[in-house]
Amino acid sequence: MTYQELLEAARSSMGPHCKACPVCNGKACGNQIPGPGAKGTGDVAIRNYEAWQKIRVNMNTIAENREPDTTFDFFGHTMRYPVFAGPVGAVNLHYGDKLDDIAYNDILVSACAENGIAAFTGDGTNPEVMKAATKAIRAQGGVGIPTVKPWDSNTIREKLRLVRESGAFAVAMDVDAAGLPFLQGLTPPAGSKTVAELAEIVRDAGKPFIVKGVMTVRGAVDAAKAGASAIIVSNHGGRVLDQTPSTAEVLEEIREAVGGNVLVLVDGGIRSGTDIFKALALGADGVLIARPFVTAVYGGGKGGVKLYIEKLGSELRDTMRMCGTASLKQISKENLFKPSSGYVAF
Ligand SMILES: Cc1cc2nc3c(=O)[nH]c(=O)nc-3n(C[C@H](O)[C@H](O)[C@H](O)COP(=O)(O)O)c2cc1C
């Protein structure tokens, strides 16, 4: 199967909202929710994608001729690439009935683990989703990261118990989910957390804790204060608040603010190995990619996920080779072209 065939297969197996576009750039789905779109005007998902395209890489081939090392240390686990499949919940609502969250996570978690990366799983109001996700992660020896929504404390406690039982090597919370239209007014209730509340959740988790949905220096510093081991610079793909900046625009200052104390991941519009390289050059340790993995699962099942991971890996290796960087640690801002207006200028 080629990537083109995967997209065609996805188009015929998805619901009406996602068009499985040649490049997933937020334009065709706009503000379509239910569906993979973004909130309000829908422009944040587009901005996320376009920001990476505005950043340009510096070619440098006067360098040692060797195979680039793409391996990434994630809390003591060696991953093949600095890439994770991002969490996506309620897939049947947004992408069509071919799969539900349980079947989707089963395919995604195992295919990612078998191909050297890891998947984040989503959460939902249906308790079976977290049960099945943690079961799928346990079946892969803990290679996977459940993402718990910021529910009330009793619900979080119960979900964290499932997470610990799964042996997952880390756990995440999408603190920005408080802004999701479909979560408001539902049971169990979800909402924002204070630093003190978050610190208690981190203690209860008992494993590396990742705060997803940080878009400001203040948010990053607060997450670190609460004891997070990692943050994900993310605006939830534009689904929780309209008119935010893109993640590429805020990444650099957030990395500088937290220094080396916290692992920094980023998502939003990252679509190729070259985009991954740019994110690392701006200071990220790794990236999440969400929507294109849904297309890969709907279009090609486990084989589709493998194909997409191989595609990203080969693009990343090619960019590293062409920019004279032999390992991920060597990727820096020197590898980016800086016009006087800054790396990302709108
Ligand atoms: C349909 C859909 C459902 C999502 N569900 C979740 C979720 O349950 N938990 C979460 O943390 N993020 C969720 N996200 C956000 C993604 O994980 C990710 O942050 C966002 O889509 C940006 O990455 P992308 O541009 O690569 O898709 C969802 C995104 C979409 C499009």
Side-chain angles (χ1 to χ4, degrees), residues 24 35-37 45 48-49 85-91 94-95 120-124 147-149 173-177 180 182 212 232 234-239 267-271 288-292 294:
C24 175
N48 277 343
Y49 171 78
V88 174
V91 288
H94 302 300
Y95 289 93
F120 283 70
T121 55
D123 193 3
T147 310
V148 180
K149 293 230 174 290
M173 176 169 283
D174 49 333
V175 293
D176 57 353
L180 282 174
F182 75 94
K212 178 171 184 284
I232 304 173
S234 173
N235 51 28
H236 218 105
R239 293 171 69 80
D267 76 12
I270 295 167
R271 298 293 176 254
L288 276 68
I289 297 177
R291 293 173 176 96
V294 186

mmCIF file of all heavy atoms in Angstrom, residues 24 35-37 45 48-49 85-91 94-95 120-124 147-149 173-177 180 182 212 232 234-239 267-271 288-292 294, ligand 1:
data_model
loop_
_atom_site.group_PDB
_atom_site.id
_atom_site.type_symbol
_atom_site.label_atom_id
_atom_site.label_comp_id
_atom_site.label_asym_id
_atom_site.label_seq_id
_atom_site.Cartn_x
_atom_site.Cartn_y
_atom_site.Cartn_z
ATOM 1 N N CYS A 24 -3.073 17.169 5.745
ATOM 2 C CA CYS A 24 -4.071 17.465 6.781
ATOM 3 C C CYS A 24 -3.751 18.843 7.363
ATOM 4 O O CYS A 24 -2.947 18.969 8.280
ATOM 5 C CB CYS A 24 -3.998 16.363 7.841
ATOM 6 S SG CYS A 24 -5.051 16.622 9.256
ATOM 7 N N GLY A 35 -16.613 16.142 14.099
ATOM 8 C CA GLY A 35 -15.707 16.110 12.967
ATOM 9 C C GLY A 35 -14.346 16.551 13.461
ATOM 10 O O GLY A 35 -14.204 16.948 14.621
ATOM 11 N N PRO A 36 -13.334 16.532 12.595
ATOM 12 C CA PRO A 36 -11.968 16.829 13.052
ATOM 13 C C PRO A 36 -11.624 18.311 13.053
ATOM 14 O O PRO A 36 -10.463 18.678 13.244
ATOM 15 C CB PRO A 36 -11.114 16.073 12.034
ATOM 16 C CG PRO A 36 -11.947 16.016 10.801
ATOM 17 C CD PRO A 36 -13.390 16.049 11.218
ATOM 18 N N GLY A 37 -12.617 19.180 12.871
ATOM 19 C CA GLY A 37 -12.330 20.614 12.749
ATOM 20 C C GLY A 37 -11.947 21.292 14.052
ATOM 21 O O GLY A 37 -11.695 20.650 15.066
ATOM 22 N N ALA A 45 -6.408 25.491 13.740
ATOM 23 C CA ALA A 45 -5.786 24.289 13.166
ATOM 24 C C ALA A 45 -4.995 24.662 11.907
ATOM 25 O O ALA A 45 -3.888 24.148 11.675
ATOM 26 C CB ALA A 45 -6.852 23.251 12.839
ATOM 27 N N ASN A 48 -1.798 26.401 12.986
ATOM 28 C CA ASN A 48 -0.805 25.427 13.477
ATOM 29 C C ASN A 48 0.007 24.874 12.307
ATOM 30 O O ASN A 48 1.239 24.861 12.325
ATOM 31 C CB ASN A 48 -1.512 24.244 14.158
ATOM 32 C CG ASN A 48 -1.882 24.522 15.605
ATOM 33 O OD1 ASN A 48 -1.371 25.450 16.241
ATOM 34 N ND2 ASN A 48 -2.777 23.712 16.150
ATOM 35 N N TYR A 49 -0.727 24.411 11.282
ATOM 36 C CA TYR A 49 -0.052 23.797 10.137
ATOM 37 C C TYR A 49 0.831 24.819 9.418
ATOM 38 O O TYR A 49 2.001 24.559 9.118
ATOM 39 C CB TYR A 49 -1.100 23.214 9.167
ATOM 40 C CG TYR A 49 -0.483 22.774 7.869
ATOM 41 C CD1 TYR A 49 0.219 21.569 7.794
ATOM 42 C CD2 TYR A 49 -0.544 23.579 6.729
ATOM 43 C CE1 TYR A 49 0.832 21.177 6.611
ATOM 44 C CE2 TYR A 49 0.064 23.187 5.549
ATOM 45 C CZ TYR A 49 0.749 21.994 5.497
ATOM 46 O OH TYR A 49 1.369 21.612 4.338
ATOM 47 N N ALA A 85 1.895 8.970 18.569
ATOM 48 C CA ALA A 85 0.545 9.191 18.030
ATOM 49 C C ALA A 85 -0.236 9.916 19.122
ATOM 50 O O ALA A 85 -0.228 9.496 20.283
ATOM 51 C CB ALA A 85 -0.110 7.854 17.693
ATOM 52 N N GLY A 86 -0.898 11.003 18.764
ATOM 53 C CA GLY A 86 -1.622 11.807 19.757
ATOM 54 C C GLY A 86 -2.962 11.180 20.126
ATOM 55 O O GLY A 86 -3.513 10.379 19.367
ATOM 56 N N PRO A 87 -3.498 11.548 21.293
ATOM 57 C CA PRO A 87 -4.789 10.994 21.715
ATOM 58 C C PRO A 87 -5.955 11.571 20.920
ATOM 59 O O PRO A 87 -6.018 12.774 20.700
ATOM 60 C CB PRO A 87 -4.887 11.422 23.184
ATOM 61 C CG PRO A 87 -4.044 12.657 23.284
ATOM 62 C CD PRO A 87 -2.950 12.506 22.260
ATOM 63 N N VAL A 88 -6.832 10.709 20.498
ATOM 64 C CA VAL A 88 -8.062 11.138 19.822
ATOM 65 C C VAL A 88 -9.215 10.336 20.411
ATOM 66 O O VAL A 88 -9.194 9.105 20.374
ATOM 67 C CB VAL A 88 -7.967 10.922 18.293
ATOM 68 C CG1 VAL A 88 -9.304 11.227 17.626
ATOM 69 C CG2 VAL A 88 -6.884 11.821 17.687
ATOM 70 N N GLY A 89 -10.186 11.037 20.969
ATOM 71 C CA GLY A 89 -11.334 10.361 21.583
ATOM 72 C C GLY A 89 -12.582 10.527 20.738
ATOM 73 O O GLY A 89 -12.657 11.393 19.864
ATOM 74 N N ALA A 90 -13.560 9.681 20.995
ATOM 75 C CA ALA A 90 -14.861 9.707 20.303
ATOM 76 C C ALA A 90 -14.686 9.616 18.785
ATOM 77 O O ALA A 90 -15.281 10.385 18.028
ATOM 78 C CB ALA A 90 -15.654 10.959 20.692
ATOM 79 N N VAL A 91 -13.861 8.659 18.329
ATOM 80 C CA VAL A 91 -13.575 8.574 16.891
ATOM 81 C C VAL A 91 -14.830 8.281 16.067
ATOM 82 O O VAL A 91 -14.957 8.773 14.947
ATOM 83 C CB VAL A 91 -12.468 7.535 16.550
ATOM 84 C CG1 VAL A 91 -11.100 8.004 16.977
ATOM 85 C CG2 VAL A 91 -12.798 6.173 17.080
ATOM 86 N N HIS A 94 -16.587 11.567 15.437
ATOM 87 C CA HIS A 94 -15.893 12.534 14.583
ATOM 88 C C HIS A 94 -15.488 11.974 13.218
ATOM 89 O O HIS A 94 -15.346 12.719 12.253
ATOM 90 C CB HIS A 94 -14.652 13.069 15.302
ATOM 91 C CG HIS A 94 -14.968 13.721 16.620
ATOM 92 N ND1 HIS A 94 -15.790 14.814 16.721
ATOM 93 C CD2 HIS A 94 -14.600 13.421 17.897
ATOM 94 C CE1 HIS A 94 -15.903 15.176 18.003
ATOM 95 N NE2 HIS A 94 -15.193 14.340 18.736
ATOM 96 N N TYR A 95 -15.259 10.650 13.161
ATOM 97 C CA TYR A 95 -14.715 10.063 11.917
ATOM 98 C C TYR A 95 -15.571 8.948 11.316
ATOM 99 O O TYR A 95 -15.215 8.407 10.275
ATOM 100 C CB TYR A 95 -13.313 9.513 12.160
ATOM 101 C CG TYR A 95 -12.277 10.594 12.362
ATOM 102 C CD1 TYR A 95 -11.943 11.044 13.635
ATOM 103 C CD2 TYR A 95 -11.624 11.165 11.270
ATOM 104 C CE1 TYR A 95 -10.985 12.039 13.829
ATOM 105 C CE2 TYR A 95 -10.662 12.155 11.448
ATOM 106 C CZ TYR A 95 -10.354 12.585 12.727
ATOM 107 O OH TYR A 95 -9.407 13.559 12.891
ATOM 108 N N PHE A 120 -0.507 7.788 22.547
ATOM 109 C CA PHE A 120 -1.338 8.322 23.624
ATOM 110 C C PHE A 120 -2.766 7.867 23.312
ATOM 111 O O PHE A 120 -3.170 7.882 22.142
ATOM 112 C CB PHE A 120 -1.317 9.852 23.636
ATOM 113 C CG PHE A 120 -0.074 10.463 24.214
ATOM 114 C CD1 PHE A 120 1.144 10.388 23.553
ATOM 115 C CD2 PHE A 120 -0.119 11.154 25.430
ATOM 116 C CE1 PHE A 120 2.293 10.973 24.076
ATOM 117 C CE2 PHE A 120 1.016 11.742 25.964
ATOM 118 C CZ PHE A 120 2.225 11.654 25.292
ATOM 119 N N THR A 121 -3.520 7.484 24.335
ATOM 120 C CA THR A 121 -4.923 7.140 24.111
ATOM 121 C C THR A 121 -5.803 8.240 24.707
ATOM 122 O O THR A 121 -5.407 8.906 25.669
ATOM 123 C CB THR A 121 -5.278 5.785 24.753
ATOM 124 O OG1 THR A 121 -4.923 5.819 26.139
ATOM 125 C CG2 THR A 121 -4.536 4.649 24.068
ATOM 126 N N GLY A 122 -7.001 8.398 24.153
ATOM 127 C CA GLY A 122 -7.933 9.416 24.644
ATOM 128 C C GLY A 122 -8.842 8.852 25.728
ATOM 129 O O GLY A 122 -8.745 7.683 26.102
ATOM 130 N N ASP A 123 -9.693 9.692 26.222
ATOM 131 C CA ASP A 123 -10.577 9.344 27.339
ATOM 132 C C ASP A 123 -11.992 9.762 26.932
ATOM 133 O O ASP A 123 -12.170 10.532 25.995
ATOM 134 C CB ASP A 123 -10.107 10.157 28.557
ATOM 135 C CG ASP A 123 -10.707 9.694 29.866
ATOM 136 O OD1 ASP A 123 -11.458 8.703 29.877
ATOM 137 O OD2 ASP A 123 -10.412 10.343 30.889
ATOM 138 N N GLY A 124 -12.982 9.250 27.610
ATOM 139 C CA GLY A 124 -14.345 9.655 27.265
ATOM 140 C C GLY A 124 -15.269 9.525 28.453
ATOM 141 O O GLY A 124 -14.868 9.022 29.511
ATOM 142 N N THR A 147 -4.392 9.157 28.399
ATOM 143 C CA THR A 147 -4.611 10.581 28.675
ATOM 144 C C THR A 147 -5.942 10.711 29.402
ATOM 145 O O THR A 147 -6.988 10.376 28.851
ATOM 146 C CB THR A 147 -4.645 11.379 27.352
ATOM 147 O OG1 THR A 147 -3.503 11.011 26.580
ATOM 148 C CG2 THR A 147 -4.614 12.879 27.610
ATOM 149 N N VAL A 148 -5.858 11.161 30.648
ATOM 150 C CA VAL A 148 -7.051 11.268 31.496
ATOM 151 C C VAL A 148 -7.581 12.700 31.386
ATOM 152 O O VAL A 148 -6.802 13.656 31.445
ATOM 153 C CB VAL A 148 -6.674 10.953 32.967
ATOM 154 C CG1 VAL A 148 -7.889 11.067 33.875
ATOM 155 C CG2 VAL A 148 -6.033 9.569 33.072
ATOM 156 N N LYS A 149 -8.884 12.849 31.253
ATOM 157 C CA LYS A 149 -9.447 14.204 31.189
ATOM 158 C C LYS A 149 -9.511 14.791 32.609
ATOM 159 O O LYS A 149 -9.511 14.058 33.595
ATOM 160 C CB LYS A 149 -10.853 14.154 30.571
ATOM 161 C CG LYS A 149 -10.844 13.745 29.104
ATOM 162 C CD LYS A 149 -11.651 14.716 28.256
ATOM 163 C CE LYS A 149 -11.523 14.402 26.770
ATOM 164 N NZ LYS A 149 -10.195 14.696 26.217
ATOM 165 N N MET A 173 -2.521 14.256 31.202
ATOM 166 C CA MET A 173 -3.834 14.869 31.415
ATOM 167 C C MET A 173 -3.963 16.064 30.479
ATOM 168 O O MET A 173 -3.096 16.951 30.468
ATOM 169 C CB MET A 173 -4.004 15.304 32.875
ATOM 170 C CG MET A 173 -5.326 16.028 33.095
ATOM 171 S SD MET A 173 -5.705 16.265 34.835
ATOM 172 C CE MET A 173 -6.258 14.625 35.282
ATOM 173 N N ASP A 174 -5.026 16.086 29.673
ATOM 174 C CA ASP A 174 -5.254 17.229 28.777
ATOM 175 C C ASP A 174 -6.018 18.287 29.570
ATOM 176 O O ASP A 174 -7.242 18.353 29.517
ATOM 177 C CB ASP A 174 -5.949 16.829 27.472
ATOM 178 C CG ASP A 174 -7.186 15.950 27.640
ATOM 179 O OD1 ASP A 174 -7.270 15.221 28.644
ATOM 180 O OD2 ASP A 174 -8.076 16.010 26.765
ATOM 181 N N VAL A 175 -5.266 19.113 30.293
ATOM 182 C CA VAL A 175 -5.885 20.101 31.179
ATOM 183 C C VAL A 175 -6.726 21.113 30.404
ATOM 184 O O VAL A 175 -7.622 21.741 30.960
ATOM 185 C CB VAL A 175 -4.833 20.850 32.044
ATOM 186 C CG1 VAL A 175 -4.178 19.918 33.043
ATOM 187 C CG2 VAL A 175 -3.789 21.529 31.181
ATOM 188 N N ASP A 176 -6.459 21.229 29.106
ATOM 189 C CA ASP A 176 -7.220 22.182 28.281
ATOM 190 C C ASP A 176 -8.591 21.637 27.855
ATOM 191 O O ASP A 176 -9.397 22.361 27.266
ATOM 192 C CB ASP A 176 -6.415 22.595 27.040
ATOM 193 C CG ASP A 176 -5.987 21.410 26.183
ATOM 194 O OD1 ASP A 176 -6.195 20.253 26.592
ATOM 195 O OD2 ASP A 176 -5.428 21.652 25.097
ATOM 196 N N ALA A 177 -8.871 20.362 28.174
ATOM 197 C CA ALA A 177 -10.146 19.768 27.747
ATOM 198 C C ALA A 177 -11.329 20.457 28.412
ATOM 199 O O ALA A 177 -12.477 20.270 27.991
ATOM 200 C CB ALA A 177 -10.165 18.278 28.059
ATOM 201 N N LEU A 180 -13.633 21.932 25.929
ATOM 202 C CA LEU A 180 -14.291 21.169 24.859
ATOM 203 C C LEU A 180 -15.803 21.349 24.913
ATOM 204 O O LEU A 180 -16.421 21.054 25.941
ATOM 205 C CB LEU A 180 -13.979 19.673 25.010
ATOM 206 C CG LEU A 180 -12.611 19.200 24.548
ATOM 207 C CD1 LEU A 180 -12.416 17.737 24.908
ATOM 208 C CD2 LEU A 180 -12.426 19.405 23.056
ATOM 209 N N PHE A 182 -18.238 19.597 23.869
ATOM 210 C CA PHE A 182 -19.077 18.438 24.179
ATOM 211 C C PHE A 182 -18.890 17.915 25.605
ATOM 212 O O PHE A 182 -19.632 17.062 26.051
ATOM 213 C CB PHE A 182 -18.845 17.314 23.151
ATOM 214 C CG PHE A 182 -17.568 16.566 23.312
ATOM 215 C CD1 PHE A 182 -17.528 15.394 24.041
ATOM 216 C CD2 PHE A 182 -16.395 17.031 22.733
ATOM 217 C CE1 PHE A 182 -16.353 14.691 24.198
ATOM 218 C CE2 PHE A 182 -15.213 16.344 22.893
ATOM 219 C CZ PHE A 182 -15.194 15.173 23.622
ATOM 220 N N LYS A 212 -0.801 18.081 29.233
ATOM 221 C CA LYS A 212 -1.055 18.398 27.813
ATOM 222 C C LYS A 212 -1.974 19.611 27.712
ATOM 223 O O LYS A 212 -2.996 19.667 28.393
ATOM 224 C CB LYS A 212 -1.714 17.186 27.140
ATOM 225 C CG LYS A 212 -2.073 17.389 25.675
ATOM 226 C CD LYS A 212 -2.508 16.076 25.025
ATOM 227 C CE LYS A 212 -2.783 16.214 23.545
ATOM 228 N NZ LYS A 212 -4.049 16.858 23.231
ATOM 229 N N ILE A 232 3.090 19.104 27.185
ATOM 230 C CA ILE A 232 2.858 19.112 25.738
ATOM 231 C C ILE A 232 2.353 20.494 25.363
ATOM 232 O O ILE A 232 1.286 20.932 25.828
ATOM 233 C CB ILE A 232 1.841 18.041 25.313
ATOM 234 C CG1 ILE A 232 2.302 16.660 25.789
ATOM 235 C CG2 ILE A 232 1.673 18.060 23.788
ATOM 236 C CD1 ILE A 232 1.290 15.547 25.561
ATOM 237 N N SER A 234 0.444 22.526 23.346
ATOM 238 C CA SER A 234 -0.675 22.116 22.490
ATOM 239 C C SER A 234 -1.852 23.057 22.697
ATOM 240 O O SER A 234 -2.114 23.491 23.824
ATOM 241 C CB SER A 234 -1.099 20.687 22.874
ATOM 242 O OG SER A 234 -2.282 20.299 22.202
ATOM 243 N N ASN A 235 -2.558 23.357 21.617
ATOM 244 C CA ASN A 235 -3.836 24.074 21.740
ATOM 245 C C ASN A 235 -4.983 23.136 21.358
ATOM 246 O O ASN A 235 -6.032 23.582 20.915
ATOM 247 C CB ASN A 235 -3.833 25.372 20.913
ATOM 248 C CG ASN A 235 -3.396 25.122 19.468
ATOM 249 O OD1 ASN A 235 -3.589 24.033 18.926
ATOM 250 N ND2 ASN A 235 -2.805 26.127 18.845
ATOM 251 N N HIS A 236 -4.727 21.824 21.497
ATOM 252 C CA HIS A 236 -5.742 20.800 21.245
ATOM 253 C C HIS A 236 -6.198 20.872 19.779
ATOM 254 O O HIS A 236 -7.368 20.621 19.471
ATOM 255 C CB HIS A 236 -6.932 20.996 22.200
ATOM 256 C CG HIS A 236 -7.546 19.722 22.722
ATOM 257 N ND1 HIS A 236 -7.371 19.250 23.996
ATOM 258 C CD2 HIS A 236 -8.359 18.809 22.125
ATOM 259 C CE1 HIS A 236 -8.062 18.135 24.170
ATOM 260 N NE2 HIS A 236 -8.661 17.830 23.038
ATOM 261 N N GLY A 237 -5.290 21.264 18.914
ATOM 262 C CA GLY A 237 -5.632 21.357 17.494
ATOM 263 C C GLY A 237 -6.711 22.384 17.220
ATOM 264 O O GLY A 237 -7.442 22.283 16.234
ATOM 265 N N GLY A 238 -6.809 23.405 18.103
ATOM 266 C CA GLY A 238 -7.797 24.472 17.896
ATOM 267 C C GLY A 238 -9.193 24.112 18.361
ATOM 268 O O GLY A 238 -10.134 24.874 18.141
ATOM 269 N N ARG A 239 -9.339 22.971 19.028
ATOM 270 C CA ARG A 239 -10.689 22.489 19.351
ATOM 271 C C ARG A 239 -11.252 23.023 20.661
ATOM 272 O O ARG A 239 -12.416 22.809 20.968
ATOM 273 C CB ARG A 239 -10.679 20.952 19.378
ATOM 274 C CG ARG A 239 -10.432 20.380 18.012
ATOM 275 C CD ARG A 239 -10.194 18.901 18.045
ATOM 276 N NE ARG A 239 -11.356 18.095 18.380
ATOM 277 C CZ ARG A 239 -12.324 17.769 17.544
ATOM 278 N NH1 ARG A 239 -12.269 18.193 16.294
ATOM 279 N NH2 ARG A 239 -13.336 17.011 17.925
ATOM 280 N N ASP A 267 2.525 19.512 19.795
ATOM 281 C CA ASP A 267 1.693 18.998 18.698
ATOM 282 C C ASP A 267 0.954 20.140 18.021
ATOM 283 O O ASP A 267 1.042 21.299 18.440
ATOM 284 C CB ASP A 267 0.746 17.880 19.168
ATOM 285 C CG ASP A 267 -0.469 18.369 19.959
ATOM 286 O OD1 ASP A 267 -0.755 19.592 19.996
ATOM 287 O OD2 ASP A 267 -1.148 17.516 20.560
ATOM 288 N N GLY A 268 0.245 19.794 16.952
ATOM 289 C CA GLY A 268 -0.549 20.780 16.221
ATOM 290 C C GLY A 268 0.017 21.018 14.837
ATOM 291 O O GLY A 268 0.987 21.771 14.679
ATOM 292 N N GLY A 269 -0.547 20.341 13.844
ATOM 293 C CA GLY A 269 -0.174 20.601 12.459
ATOM 294 C C GLY A 269 1.165 20.031 12.024
ATOM 295 O O GLY A 269 1.636 20.350 10.925
ATOM 296 N N ILE A 270 1.790 19.203 12.850
ATOM 297 C CA ILE A 270 3.068 18.570 12.467
ATOM 298 C C ILE A 270 2.719 17.384 11.560
ATOM 299 O O ILE A 270 1.960 16.501 11.966
ATOM 300 C CB ILE A 270 3.844 18.133 13.726
ATOM 301 C CG1 ILE A 270 4.221 19.378 14.529
ATOM 302 C CG2 ILE A 270 5.071 17.301 13.348
ATOM 303 C CD1 ILE A 270 4.715 19.092 15.925
ATOM 304 N N ARG A 271 3.204 17.393 10.346
ATOM 305 C CA ARG A 271 2.735 16.413 9.369
ATOM 306 C C ARG A 271 3.826 15.592 8.701
ATOM 307 O O ARG A 271 3.528 14.614 8.028
ATOM 308 C CB ARG A 271 1.928 17.136 8.267
ATOM 309 C CG ARG A 271 0.694 17.833 8.809
ATOM 310 C CD ARG A 271 -0.318 16.809 9.316
ATOM 311 N NE ARG A 271 -1.478 17.434 9.941
ATOM 312 C CZ ARG A 271 -1.698 17.455 11.251
ATOM 313 N NH1 ARG A 271 -0.832 16.894 12.100
ATOM 314 N NH2 ARG A 271 -2.782 17.998 11.754
ATOM 315 N N LEU A 288 3.914 15.084 19.040
ATOM 316 C CA LEU A 288 2.735 14.231 18.873
ATOM 317 C C LEU A 288 2.085 14.601 17.543
ATOM 318 O O LEU A 288 2.094 15.777 17.156
ATOM 319 C CB LEU A 288 1.690 14.494 19.965
ATOM 320 C CG LEU A 288 1.819 13.799 21.320
ATOM 321 C CD1 LEU A 288 3.034 14.329 22.068
ATOM 322 C CD2 LEU A 288 0.561 14.045 22.147
ATOM 323 N N ILE A 289 1.544 13.601 16.882
ATOM 324 C CA ILE A 289 0.769 13.823 15.654
ATOM 325 C C ILE A 289 -0.555 13.107 15.873
ATOM 326 O O ILE A 289 -0.564 11.913 16.214
ATOM 327 C CB ILE A 289 1.520 13.260 14.424
ATOM 328 C CG1 ILE A 289 2.852 14.002 14.235
ATOM 329 C CG2 ILE A 289 0.650 13.349 13.174
ATOM 330 C CD1 ILE A 289 3.711 13.497 13.094
ATOM 331 N N ALA A 290 -1.662 13.805 15.715
ATOM 332 C CA ALA A 290 -2.947 13.189 16.056
ATOM 333 C C ALA A 290 -3.781 12.839 14.828
ATOM 334 O O ALA A 290 -3.929 11.668 14.467
ATOM 335 C CB ALA A 290 -3.725 14.099 17.007
ATOM 336 N N ARG A 291 -4.338 13.839 14.132
ATOM 337 C CA ARG A 291 -5.315 13.548 13.069
ATOM 338 C C ARG A 291 -4.783 12.590 11.997
ATOM 339 O O ARG A 291 -5.508 11.669 11.594
ATOM 340 C CB ARG A 291 -5.796 14.856 12.433
ATOM 341 C CG ARG A 291 -6.624 15.754 13.391
ATOM 342 C CD ARG A 291 -6.900 17.086 12.709
ATOM 343 N NE ARG A 291 -7.738 18.009 13.451
ATOM 344 C CZ ARG A 291 -7.276 18.997 14.220
ATOM 345 N NH1 ARG A 291 -5.978 19.158 14.412
ATOM 346 N NH2 ARG A 291 -8.111 19.824 14.827
ATOM 347 N N PRO A 292 -3.568 12.746 11.479
ATOM 348 C CA PRO A 292 -3.124 11.822 10.420
ATOM 349 C C PRO A 292 -3.053 10.357 10.865
ATOM 350 O O PRO A 292 -3.168 9.456 10.029
ATOM 351 C CB PRO A 292 -1.738 12.350 10.053
ATOM 352 C CG PRO A 292 -1.800 13.808 10.398
ATOM 353 C CD PRO A 292 -2.627 13.853 11.655
ATOM 354 N N VAL A 294 -5.325 8.984 12.704
ATOM 355 C CA VAL A 294 -6.696 8.478 12.549
ATOM 356 C C VAL A 294 -6.897 8.062 11.089
ATOM 357 O O VAL A 294 -7.435 6.991 10.796
ATOM 358 C CB VAL A 294 -7.746 9.543 12.938
ATOM 359 C CG1 VAL A 294 -9.134 8.938 12.902
ATOM 360 C CG2 VAL A 294 -7.458 10.151 14.303
HETATM 361 C C1 LIG B 1 -11.429 14.347 16.783
HETATM 362 C C2 LIG B 1 -10.367 14.709 17.795
HETATM 363 C C3 LIG B 1 -10.468 14.182 19.080
HETATM 364 C C4 LIG B 1 -9.484 14.489 20.019
HETATM 365 N N1 LIG B 1 -9.547 13.925 21.263
HETATM 366 C C5 LIG B 1 -8.592 14.193 22.180
HETATM 367 C C6 LIG B 1 -8.610 13.584 23.464
HETATM 368 O O1 LIG B 1 -9.484 12.774 23.779
HETATM 369 N N2 LIG B 1 -7.636 13.916 24.346
HETATM 370 C C7 LIG B 1 -6.665 14.807 24.023
HETATM 371 O O2 LIG B 1 -5.802 15.081 24.852
HETATM 372 N N3 LIG B 1 -6.592 15.388 22.801
HETATM 373 C C8 LIG B 1 -7.528 15.098 21.884
HETATM 374 N N4 LIG B 1 -7.469 15.683 20.649
HETATM 375 C C9 LIG B 1 -6.385 16.631 20.347
HETATM 376 C C10 LIG B 1 -5.164 15.951 19.742
HETATM 377 O O3 LIG B 1 -4.554 15.033 20.615
HETATM 378 C C11 LIG B 1 -4.101 16.981 19.324
HETATM 379 O O4 LIG B 1 -3.711 17.722 20.449
HETATM 380 C C12 LIG B 1 -4.586 17.943 18.228
HETATM 381 O O5 LIG B 1 -5.432 17.306 17.307
HETATM 382 C C13 LIG B 1 -3.425 18.607 17.500
HETATM 383 O O6 LIG B 1 -2.649 17.694 16.800
HETATM 384 P P1 LIG B 1 -2.848 17.424 15.221
HETATM 385 O O7 LIG B 1 -2.832 18.756 14.536
HETATM 386 O O8 LIG B 1 -1.666 16.568 14.857
HETATM 387 O O9 LIG B 1 -4.149 16.735 15.037
HETATM 388 C C14 LIG B 1 -8.422 15.357 19.679
HETATM 389 C C15 LIG B 1 -8.341 15.871 18.371
HETATM 390 C C16 LIG B 1 -9.297 15.558 17.430
HETATM 391 C C17 LIG B 1 -9.166 16.107 16.040
#
